[in-house]
Amino acid sequence: LVFRSGTMHICFRSTQAVGKHSFLAGDRQKKIKNFVMYFSKEKGIQILSFANVGNHLHLHVKLSSLTLYRAWVRGLTSG
């Protein structure tokens, strides 16, 4: 598998993020964005754009390696 540095659109969706559990509820919107931005910077992933739609997140990211991408996705989606 050959990985070339480039950009990618990624969507993270939750079936449970509705109503009071929405990604937009309360101060959750700010906490989610801060976490995604901080964690991405730590893993060397550049966020080009970010959108929180309530039950899913849209990210346009610039990747530098497949190894970093795998660690980043695992970290964002765990626990």
Side-chain angles (χ1 to χ4, degrees):
L1 176 67
V2 175
F3 182 80
R4 293 193 178 109
S5 174
T7 65
M8 181 183 292
H9 173 259
I10 300 172
C11 184
F12 295 106
R13 183 175 179 270
S14 171
T15 58
Q16 298 177 359
V18 293
K20 67 180 183 177
H21 300 292
S22 169
F23 294 152
L24 297 173
D27 64 342
R28 196 172 292 134
Q29 180 176 5
K30 185 176 180 181
K31 287 181 179 181
I32 289 171
K33 184 171 184 176
N34 287 343
F35 174 72
V36 169
M37 295 302 187
Y38 171 79
F39 191 75
S40 299
K41 187 175 181 180
E42 289 290 310
K43 294 295 180 186
I45 305 293
Q46 184 181 3
I47 304 294
L48 301 175
S49 65
F50 175 90
N52 182 340
V53 191
N55 71 339
H56 61 284
L57 306 173
H58 288 274
L59 288 86
H60 183 202
V61 300
K62 182 167 182 157
L63 309 169
S64 57
S65 79
L66 188 57
T67 304
L68 289 177
Y69 167 74
R70 287 179 179 152
W72 176 73
V73 168
R74 284 187 188 121
L76 281 180
T77 59
S78 66

